[in-house]
Amino acid sequence: MARMFGTDGVRGIANTELTNQMAYRLGQAAVVFLGKTIVVGKDTRLSGDMLEAALVAGIESAGGTAYLANVIPTPAVALLVRRLNAAGGVVISASHNPPEYNGIKLFDANGFKLPDAVEDKIEEFVRAGGLEQSGKPMPVGSDLGFAVPLNDAVEMYIMHAVDSVRGQGISFEGMTIALDTGHGASSMTSPEALRRLGADVHVINDDYDGLDINVKCGSTHLEPLQQLVKEAQADVGIAHDGDADRVMMVTPAGEEIDGDVIEAVCALDMKERGVLANGTAVTTVMCNLGFVHAMRDAGITVVQTKVGDRYVLEEMRAHGHTIGGEQSGHMILLEHNSTGDGLMTAVQFLAAVKRSGKTVEEAAKVVQKFPQELINVRVADKNAVMESDAVKGAVRAAEEALGDDGRVLLRPSGTEPVVRVMVEAKDDEAALTHAKTIADLITSLGL
């Protein structure tokens, strides 16, 4: 049986894979495993109301209090949990996935995502039938829970971002910003926050009908934003995914600014201000080699983890680092929030650019991207490929040929019968040649 929790909560097609019964039992589990007071937020998906009703019923049936934040970014829920001294938080969202999907992710009392061990206990509780099948008496009468609307939830989150910049003596006066909120939760927050900081904001996709979230827009589809940047003659373009825990940007020329570049600019600024803990930036093995070189040249140590923001966060918490991120635009700035925060990342990036005296385009040049070639090879046994002496030898040969001017990453897919061969090099031809040599060898082995 597949594990219920993925890398970012429970996720699936709403009403078939992610059912109301699951939401109800997860609501109960939040009270049983986290505590009596739970902050609940959601993105703009049509299924959000349905799953929220079931989840809140579960919280109430277990004797808990549900603080309803309504439509709000995921990082806002993490913030509200701490601000309200709640026992935990739940977000109903499938992040960057299509509208028919939804998800449920939980935060502890400190606004952090739950460790695997706790998720496993919750999964066992849900599969066993929830509180009704636990053998414990169900709350009745005055022991039942209730829901409390949080009417100022959005305002609290907006001001958290605004104050973080104002506190640095920075204003965005004179800056023109193009913004794509992806028909998602950031429609309620990012435009207002950026305007309060003085920017002239041109926004698209800030309406929603529950069926358009992430559809050909937002951080995974930058074309509409690139067009808006051109039309508005903007200094920068900003795009969020559905629950706004990520951000991607574009320059005035329409060039993509991904998480590697955003993290590099922020890390350099933090080092300059003396607030870069341990002189270290955390990223994943999928970051571009150009990021590693840029940090090395600036005297910043880079620590790389497995792919997934949870692994980045684990490394940060274990060793006291304060900045970490992924190429996808999922950035964690522990000075400001306990999870990936698209709005906070955007305003801190722009504050860093302002302080540098450069344009966005100039600041982004700190990372000189290495060409990257990725080949997915279908195999019967991923482990056999990863353990093959012949494959290891081919990888070593490529690494020796590339030296410090490239790298090889061989990674089995977590969801498909595929091994991913990724090669970075100083030029496209070298990257393709080495990637194809290794991929062809894997195919020829028939593993």
Side-chain angles (χ1 to χ4, degrees):
M1 184 180 295
R3 189 171 186 267
M4 180 184 296
F5 284 88
T7 56
D8 199 19
V10 181
R11 196 171 290 184
I13 296 175
N15 215 32
T16 57
E17 297 172 344
L18 178 59
T19 65
N20 289 331
Q21 183 186 65
M22 290 173 67
Y24 173 78
R25 291 177 179 170
L26 285 166
Q28 289 184 332
V31 176
V32 171
F33 292 93
L34 300 177
K36 292 281 190 177
T37 51
I38 307 295
V39 178
V40 179
K42 60 186 176 183
D43 67 21
T44 59
R45 294 164 205 274
L46 187 63
S47 59
D49 290 350
M50 174 188 75
L51 292 169
E52 180 187 49
L55 180 94
V56 171
I59 292 171
E60 294 170 337
S61 77
T65 301
Y67 293 127
L68 305 182
N70 206 352
V71 174
I72 200 164
T74 285
V77 172
L79 173 71
L80 290 165
V81 167
R82 298 193 304 278
R83 287 281 179 90
L84 300 174
N85 293 314
V90 182
V91 180
I92 302 165
S93 171
S95 192
H96 60 284
N97 288 142
E100 64 271 21
Y101 285 80
N102 217 324
I104 294 176
K105 48 186 148 186
L106 294 87
F107 293 102
D108 67 17
N110 295 310
F112 292 114
K113 293 177 183 178
L114 306 185
D116 288 348
V118 177
E119 288 183 344
D120 289 342
K121 290 179 181 179
I122 290 175
E123 179 171 342
E124 183 180 355
F125 173 87
V126 170
R127 293 195 188 280
L131 198 58
E132 287 84 351
Q133 302 300 318
S134 68
K136 298 178 182 179
M138 294 288 290
V140 296
S142 61
D143 291 331
L144 287 171
F146 52 91
V148 178
L150 293 177
N151 297 322
D152 58 349
V154 166
E155 178 64 17
M156 289 173 66
Y157 177 64
I158 289 172
M159 286 310 301
H160 175 63
V162 170
D163 288 343
S164 75
V165 175
R166 286 179 177 168
Q168 299 173 29
I170 297 290
S171 166
F172 296 163
E173 290 282 348
M175 181 174 281
T176 300
I177 297 176
L179 174 65
D180 183 353
T181 59
H183 301 297
S186 64
S187 303
M188 314 295 293
T189 52
S190 289
E192 180 63 18
L194 293 168
R195 288 186 178 116
R196 290 190 195 182
L197 285 166
D200 176 19
V201 182
H202 298 252
V203 60
I204 54 174
N205 301 321
D206 57 335
D207 58 340
Y208 55 88
D209 61 15
L211 299 172
D212 50 10
I213 185 171
N214 297 322
V215 177
K216 296 181 180 178
C217 61
S219 62
T220 53
H221 298 276
L222 294 177
E223 297 83 6
L225 178 63
Q226 289 164 330
Q227 183 61 35
L228 179 62
V229 166
K230 183 178 178 181
E231 292 172 357
Q233 296 184 314
D235 299 298
V236 67
I238 297 172
H240 295 299
D241 60 335
D243 69 335
D245 63 351
R246 302 185 190 194
V247 64
M248 294 286 277
M249 301 187 187
V250 299
T251 68
E255 296 173 351
E256 178 183 298
I257 303 173
D258 66 12
D260 288 345
V261 178
I262 294 169
E263 182 172 3
V265 170
C266 289
L268 288 169
D269 176 68
M270 291 170 69
K271 183 175 186 289
E272 184 71 20
R273 292 186 289 128
V275 296
L276 182 63
N278 308 315
T280 297
V282 183
T283 184
T284 75
V285 294
M286 290 302 290
C287 79
N288 192 276
L289 189 59
F291 170 81
V292 177
H293 282 204
M295 296 295 93
R296 179 197 63 192
D297 294 346
I300 295 173
T301 300
V302 174
V303 176
Q304 293 175 271
T305 73
K306 292 190 293 184
V307 175
D309 69 285
R310 68 185 302 136
Y311 302 113
V312 171
L313 181 57
E314 283 174 7
E315 176 67 24
M316 294 172 70
R317 294 183 70 188
H319 298 98
H321 307 315
T322 50
I323 183 171
E326 294 187 283
Q327 201 174 65
S328 62
H330 201 134
M331 281 271 296
I332 303 169
L333 300 166
L334 281 183
E335 178 187 354
H336 301 289
N337 209 341
S338 53
T339 191
D341 190 331
L343 173 57
M344 183 59 75
T345 300
V347 298
Q348 293 304 316
F349 172 87
L350 294 178
V353 171
K354 278 277 189 177
R355 245 188 311 271
S356 73
K358 300 177 181 178
T359 65
V360 168
E361 209 152 24
E362 290 167 344
K365 288 178 180 176
V366 67
V367 175
Q368 297 298 313
K369 288 294 188 76
F370 278 53
Q372 189 179 85
E373 190 67 39
L374 177 66
I375 300 177
N376 293 321
V377 186
R378 295 191 70 85
V379 298
D381 188 338
K382 291 178 285 188
N383 290 332
V385 172
M386 298 302 293
E387 293 301 319
S388 166
D389 289 337
V391 173
K392 290 178 181 178
V395 170
R396 278 195 303 272
E399 289 174 335
E400 289 171 3
L402 291 167
D404 194 42
D405 292 331
R407 68 178 180 125
V408 180
L409 179 64
L410 205 65
R411 189 169 69 93
S413 167
T415 57
E416 303 173 88
V418 162
V419 170
R420 308 192 196 283
V421 181
M422 191 274 284
V423 178
E424 286 175 343
K426 273 199 167 181
D427 60 80
D428 293 298
E429 185 178 351
L432 178 60
T433 298
H434 288 295
K436 194 170 185 307
T437 297
I438 297 170
D440 289 346
L441 172 64
I442 293 171
T443 300
S444 70
L445 293 174
L447 298 173

